[in-house]
Amino acid sequence: MLFRCWLGCVTLLLSICVSVAAEEPVFSGPQAGEVFPPLPVKVVLGDQDGKDADLVKDADSKPLVVIFFHARTRPAYALTRKIMEFAATKSDAGLKSHVVFLTDDPTETNKWVNLIQKQLPKGATYAISHDGIEGPGAYGLNRNVTLTVLVGNEGKVTENFALIQPQLQADGPKIMKAIVDVTGGGDVPAIESDRPARP
């Protein structure tokens, strides 16, 4: 009887520990309320192809969404594409939308982006970080996540999404709501459960 009681207590304790560990928050990048640090990159595609730019400086305190693309996975690509499609509908509200690829092989990544450019939504800036797979040091990005999505306005972050396993249906509406909040309000569209083209 005593052994069963002890075993039950141990099982309960382990369950609590696993639950707490599963809910432990993941951090990547500046948090809500913090300032957007400078973001120097090399632009790929478009009129600025091959040129250096500071995406935060160029935003000039307008509403801003930045997706740091840590790892090429199909879910990451699907979510990024959907967010950039939605962001394009907010350009009249001044929203600047950017995708920054983090890589240790800029040449290969540049070729890959050019290869898939017809599948990328128009209106966004696509760029490669100068700082390799770690990204800009001032951002404190977590290389264990797949995507870091930052939304902000007036030079400050309003929402931060650090996604280890991006999910279009779960994460898309939250990010789009954050974009709506910095662009004057509006509805968040429903996300269809489609199967995007493979990048």
Side-chain angles (χ1 to χ4, degrees), residues 36-37 39-44 48 53-69 79-81 83-85 87-88 94-101 120-128 139 147-152 175 179:
F36 262 106
L39 184 50
V41 297
K42 176 166 284 188
V43 177
V44 292
Q48 301 298 311
D54 183 332
L55 300 181
V56 170
K57 182 180 179 181
D58 292 348
D60 194 27
S61 297
K62 293 182 175 66
L64 178 66
V65 55
V66 180
I67 298 180
F68 288 99
F69 210 94
L79 180 60
T80 297
R81 191 175 72 165
I83 294 305
M84 289 299 108
E85 285 175 354
L95 180 70
K96 303 295 183 180
S97 51
H98 309 300
V99 178
V100 179
F101 297 98
L120 297 173
K122 307 298 182 185
T125 300
Y126 300 93
I128 296 174
Y139 274 76
L147 293 177
T148 300
V149 184
L150 304 177
V151 181
I175 298 170
I179 291 173

Side-chain angles (χ1 to χ4, degrees), residues 10-194:
V10 169
T11 303
L12 178 61
L13 184 60
L14 286 174
S15 298
I16 292 173
C17 289
V18 170
S19 177
V20 169
E23 295 175 4
E24 192 172 312
V26 177
F27 296 99
S28 180
Q31 301 301 298
E34 295 180 356
V35 174
F36 262 106
L39 184 50
V41 297
K42 176 166 284 188
V43 177
V44 292
L45 307 180
D47 296 338
Q48 301 298 311
D49 187 13
K51 295 183 178 180
D52 291 338
D54 183 332
L55 300 181
V56 170
K57 182 180 179 181
D58 292 348
D60 194 27
S61 297
K62 293 182 175 66
L64 178 66
V65 55
V66 180
I67 298 180
F68 288 99
F69 210 94
H70 298 255
R72 290 187 215 168
T73 68
R74 191 173 184 181
Y77 171 77
L79 180 60
T80 297
R81 191 175 72 165
K82 184 63 70 173
I83 294 305
M84 289 299 108
E85 285 175 354
F86 179 68
T89 69
K90 296 294 183 178
S91 60
D92 289 345
L95 180 70
K96 303 295 183 180
S97 51
H98 309 300
V99 178
V100 179
F101 297 98
L102 306 180
T103 175
D104 281 334
D105 191 343
T107 301
E108 187 276 335
T109 299
N110 197 331
K111 290 180 180 177
W112 175 73
V113 175
N114 275 275
L115 185 66
I116 67 167
Q117 63 176 303
K118 290 184 179 179
Q119 299 179 43
L120 297 173
K122 307 298 182 185
T125 300
Y126 300 93
I128 296 174
S129 172
H130 289 304
D131 299 286
I133 199 73
E134 301 288 346
Y139 274 76
L141 298 171
N142 181 348
R143 69 178 300 172
N144 294 318
V145 305
T146 301
L147 293 177
T148 300
V149 184
L150 304 177
V151 181
N153 196 13
E154 297 181 349
K156 290 187 176 181
V157 176
T158 56
E159 293 286 350
N160 174 303
F161 303 89
L163 308 175
I164 295 176
Q165 295 180 323
Q167 297 180 29
L168 181 60
Q169 300 290 333
D171 300 313
K174 299 174 188 176
I175 298 170
M176 288 192 288
K177 175 63 166 59
I179 291 173
V180 163
D181 289 343
V182 297
T183 53
D187 296 327
V188 175
I191 293 180
E192 300 296 331
S193 57
D194 58 352

